[in-house]
Amino acid sequence: GNSVTQMEGPVTLSEEAFLTINCTYTATGYPSLFWYVQYPGEGLQLLLKATKADDKGSNKGFEATYRKETTSFHLEKGSVQVSDSAVYFCALRALGNEKLTFGTGTRLTIIP
Amino acid sequence: NAGVTQTPKFQVLKTGQSMTLQCAQDMNHEYMSWYRQDPGMGLRLIHYSVGAGITDQGEVPNGYNVSRSTTEDFPLRLLSAAPSQTSVYFCASSYSKISGSYNEQFFGPGTRLTVL
């Protein structure tokens, strides 16, 4: 079956540090890949997505590249801010299927 | 558009009580789903629906019932609450007939349920 494995947290960084949150997946075919963000007390919001190999999703300074050869979709940001403190979820959706499979989430805390 | 709305925001139940978590969306989405979020386990799919009158089980359906009589509403029922159902519940929706395989799922704000 499909699965998503993401970097265990929590992750604590200083403001302006470089961020990487690792995500790898197992799926047949070519799934779509997503990063969702959950701010404290809120629901999940789509951060970025990629639908095919070598696609790069980007939003709010975050980026992730769909790597078919390594089955990965790592989230990166060059300079994090305190407002980026949240829980980040990697997810996949198999082609033709609406269901999302989520990773366990990574809690990120940015300190001033 | 209000998007996806959920009520209540918080609920405390005693073991054995029943209740319904409400979910509604005003985006004319065909696909709706319920997830539960537990520490260290991410989001797990409980039930989902691909359209009015059609529902199916997800990963963790036991102890929960759903129905989909309209496109807008997708209530989740707990028939006899158990402490293991203490969790945060999220409803989500997406429009499954938009072209391509990258339809965004929109999430509600969640319901935090405690079963004593």
Side-chain angles (χ1 to χ4, degrees):
Chain A
N2 301 330
S3 67
V4 175
T5 302
Q6 66 179 103
M7 179 175 172
E8 296 244 350
V11 174
T12 303
L13 295 172
S14 297
E15 205 166 20
E16 299 183 3
F18 184 86
L19 168 71
T20 300
I21 300 178
N22 290 339
C23 172
T24 57
Y25 68 90
T26 301
T28 54
Y30 294 87
S32 295
L33 301 174
F34 305 84
W35 277 100
Y36 279 83
V37 59
Q38 183 181 30
Y39 298 104
E42 298 183 9
L44 278 71
Q45 304 172 25
L46 180 65
L47 180 60
L48 52 84
K49 64 189 177 190
T51 61
K52 59 184 187 296
D54 300 326
D55 264 3
K56 178 185 283 188
S58 61
N59 186 23
K60 300 182 180 179
F62 290 90
E63 292 183 340
T65 301
Y66 189 145
R67 301 287 188 199
K68 181 68 176 174
E69 63 277 11
T70 54
T71 61
S72 65
F73 193 53
H74 305 321
L75 183 68
E76 297 182 336
K77 187 174 185 181
S79 176
V80 292
Q81 306 300 314
V82 172
S83 57
D84 294 327
S85 298
V87 181
Y88 292 81
F89 291 92
C90 186
L92 71 80
R93 188 177 69 224
L95 186 63
N97 190 331
E98 285 293 325
K99 289 186 281 185
L100 286 173
T101 300
F102 285 91
T104 54
T106 302
R107 182 175 297 278
L108 174 66
T109 302
I110 308 300
I111 54 177
Chain B
N1 285 351
V4 180
T5 57
Q6 292 183 238
T7 56
K9 284 198 166 184
F10 302 94
Q11 183 70 49
V12 178
L13 294 177
K14 295 181 180 178
T15 297
Q17 287 185 313
S18 63
M19 80 160 295
T20 299
L21 280 63
Q22 300 292 342
C23 173
Q25 52 88 12
D26 61 359
M27 297 174 282
N28 202 30
H29 285 171
E30 295 186 358
Y31 181 85
M32 297 185 74
S33 54
W34 277 101
Y35 296 88
R36 58 177 289 172
Q37 182 181 23
D38 301 293
M41 304 190 75
L43 276 77
R44 293 181 292 169
L45 183 65
I46 304 172
H47 285 284
Y48 65 99
S49 168
V50 299
I54 305 169
T55 63
D56 207 345
Q57 297 181 349
E59 183 184 355
V60 288
N62 292 343
Y64 308 95
N65 280 352
V66 292
S67 59
R68 183 94 179 271
S69 55
T70 67
T71 299
E72 294 78 19
D73 300 299
F74 191 44
L76 179 71
R77 280 182 283 277
L78 284 71
L79 299 178
S80 179
S84 61
Q85 294 178 305
T86 294
S87 187
V88 181
Y89 292 85
F90 289 99
C91 180
S93 74
S94 67
Y95 182 41
S96 62
K97 285 190 176 175
I98 287 181
S99 62
S101 61
Y102 46 89
N103 304 342
E104 176 181 354
Q105 282 201 18
F106 293 83
F107 283 79
T111 295
R112 185 174 295 275
L113 175 67
T114 302
V115 183
L116 303 175

